[in-house]
Structures are given as C-alpha cells and as structure tokens.
Amino acid sequence: MFLSFHNLLYTISTPHEILNKLKELAFHVFEEVLATIKEKAIEFQELTDNQLTLSEMQPKVVSYQELYELCLETHGASFKEHIETYIASLYNKDLREASIDLVREVHQFSPYRNPMIIVFFAPPYYPHSSSKKAPKIVELCNHIIDIAKEKYGETLKLEPFFPGLSDMSYLGINHDRSIDALKENLPLWGNGYSIPLKTISELNIPFINIGPLGKDPHKYTERICLSYSLDKASHLIYQAVLKAFA
C-alpha cells in the first residue's frame, strides 16, 4: 500500500466539498498513471518485438466511508466487531499512524482487490474560522492599522485569514453543513479523536490575530524580527485590548 499525506489549508470549502475535490483529483491521477503504463508498454514492445498483455483496469477511487460500507455489506457484523476490536488496539498510538493502520485493516476486508485509491481525513482538524464580517472586529483592525502607521511608521495589512495553523480555529465555525462528511471519513472520529464541534459552533467568539514579524516558518532559516515582535506588536496588542473594552 502506497501512502501520501497532505496538509490542506482552506478558507471557504466544507469537508464534503474538499472530499469530492480530492476524489476527482485522485481519479484523474489514476487515469494518467494507467495511460503512462500503456504508453511504456507500447514503447517496450516496439523496442523488443515482445507482445505484452496488459490487464484491463479502470480507475477506482473511494472515500473511507464508501470502503467501510462496502466491507460491512460484504462481511456483516463480524467485520464491524473485528474493526471495533482493532481500533481498541490502536490506543496511545500516533493518531496519523493509527489512521493509516485502520484504513489498511479495513481494506483487508474489501472484496475489490484491484488497485484503488482511498481518500480519508486524518487528525488534527482545524475548522476554518473568520471574523472578517464582524463590524466591531473590522473597526478594531482599522484602529490598530492607524496606530501602527501614526506611532511606529509601520504599514500593516489586514488579511482575511491566517495562512497557517492556529488555535483560533477553535473559537468558531463559519459553516454548519457537511460536518458529517468529516466524521464519516476521519477513521478515528469518536475512537481516539474528536473535537467539540457543536460547542465551538455555539461559541463563535470574534477574534483578531496580531502576530510577530518573521520569515521561513518551520525551516532551518526561520527567524523573527525582535524589535517589532517584542516591542511594537506587544503595544499594538495592548491598544487592541483597550479599544475592545472601551
């Protein structure tokens, strides 16, 4: 089994939409791989005069939920009991590795034995959240931008989202649909991993992110501008607090 993990940063799409996009992309990649194999086979035949017989294969892409339901339909209660026992054995294992192991175990029960691509989600999940439509937050941001320019000579830019991972994602959820697609295709959901989506949705706390100034995050060249990050940014945060509670 070949595995590929990708971090996905998104600002609008729902889990359901992302899943469909990934499946569509995987299908096209599968088609390209099969086409390449056929082309190489033809080239080999022309070079060697050996006739090759390639098995007829069609691209097959399924979500984890679709794979699970296929196996359950084929094997019934015994499959479900086996998977529940197997999940218990994954306790305390790295969540990403445990997700891989669980998908691999479910696949063992699949009646479809030709190559397939299985699309699924793995922890951690950070809901996309934004306060760009909150009037008070926009007013507060513009206030901080003005102070930064007038007092420190710094030109700040208001971005609609933070292009990275942030715990602010857990302060609110901007969509309440398609969450089922997340739960059904995140193999460990409710079995070692979950987040309180309902509570987060009910909170919906407005927020802003006044961050430090740096470059190359998570690289060996990562660095930070101390004069801005420890001096100017800290004062801007203080001014933001004063304005928020004025």
Side-chain angles (χ1 to χ4, degrees):
M1 177 182 286
F2 175 79
L3 299 165
S4 177
F5 268 125
H6 302 275
N7 289 324
L8 295 176
L9 297 179
Y10 65 104
T11 59
I12 298 176
S13 299
T14 66
H16 177 72
E17 291 167 342
I18 292 173
L19 184 69
N20 286 338
K21 290 177 182 178
L22 290 175
K23 288 180 64 179
E24 182 179 350
L25 176 62
F27 188 86
H28 290 322
V29 170
F30 208 146
E31 284 184 320
E32 290 178 2
V33 169
L34 293 179
T36 299
I37 292 174
K38 187 174 182 179
E39 289 174 6
K40 296 300 181 183
I42 293 174
E43 290 177 6
F44 179 80
Q45 289 175 174
E46 292 175 348
L47 288 172
T48 63
D49 271 340
N50 290 324
Q51 186 68 30
L52 294 180
T53 302
L54 296 178
S55 59
E56 290 295 328
M57 187 182 302
Q58 297 299 321
K60 180 75 170 178
V61 178
V62 299
S63 66
Y64 173 76
Q65 177 195 12
E66 291 168 337
L67 175 65
Y68 185 92
E69 290 179 349
L70 174 62
C71 296
L72 182 61
E73 181 180 351
T74 304
H75 301 284
S78 61
F79 162 74
K80 183 177 180 180
E81 292 172 2
H82 173 84
I83 294 302
E84 289 174 351
T85 301
Y86 184 79
I87 289 174
S89 72
L90 299 175
Y91 182 72
N92 275 341
K93 194 167 186 177
D94 177 84
L95 294 175
R96 285 158 294 277
E97 292 182 1
S99 298
I100 293 170
D101 290 344
L102 181 52
V103 173
R104 181 185 287 114
E105 188 68 17
V106 171
H107 177 257
Q108 296 296 324
F109 289 83
S110 173
Y112 185 87
R113 301 316 300 170
N114 285 338
M116 68 165 67
I117 295 178
I118 305 165
V119 180
F120 64 97
F121 298 125
Y125 170 64
Y126 285 76
H128 67 74
S129 188
S130 173
S131 296
K132 64 181 180 180
K133 294 184 179 180
K136 290 186 177 180
I137 292 298
V138 174
E139 179 185 351
L140 179 55
C141 289
N142 290 330
H143 175 69
I144 296 303
I145 290 174
D146 291 341
I147 292 178
K149 186 66 174 179
E150 295 169 3
K151 188 172 182 180
Y152 300 108
E154 298 284 354
T155 301
L156 302 187
K157 183 180 179 181
L158 179 59
E159 296 286 356
F161 63 91
F162 176 64
L165 299 180
S166 170
D167 289 339
M168 290 184 296
S169 290
Y170 300 122
L171 294 178
I173 296 179
N174 296 134
H175 63 86
D176 56 4
R177 64 190 192 281
S178 300
I179 292 299
D180 286 344
L182 171 72
K183 296 178 179 179
E184 293 166 349
N185 292 285
L186 201 158
L188 291 181
W189 188 272
N191 292 290
Y193 179 82
S194 63
I195 57 175
L197 295 173
K198 186 175 184 298
T199 301
I200 293 173
S201 180
E202 292 172 347
L203 284 175
N204 269 335
I205 302 173
F207 60 86
I208 63 172
N209 180 12
I210 304 174
L213 175 63
K215 287 188 176 182
D216 296 345
H218 306 301
K219 298 179 181 179
Y220 76 94
T221 53
E222 180 175 3
R223 67 266 197 199
I224 190 172
C225 178
L226 295 177
S227 61
Y228 176 83
S229 303
L230 300 183
D231 183 16
K232 298 175 183 178
S234 61
H235 287 292
L236 292 176
I237 293 173
Y238 177 67
Q239 291 298 324
V241 172
L242 292 180
K243 176 68 174 179
F245 291 96

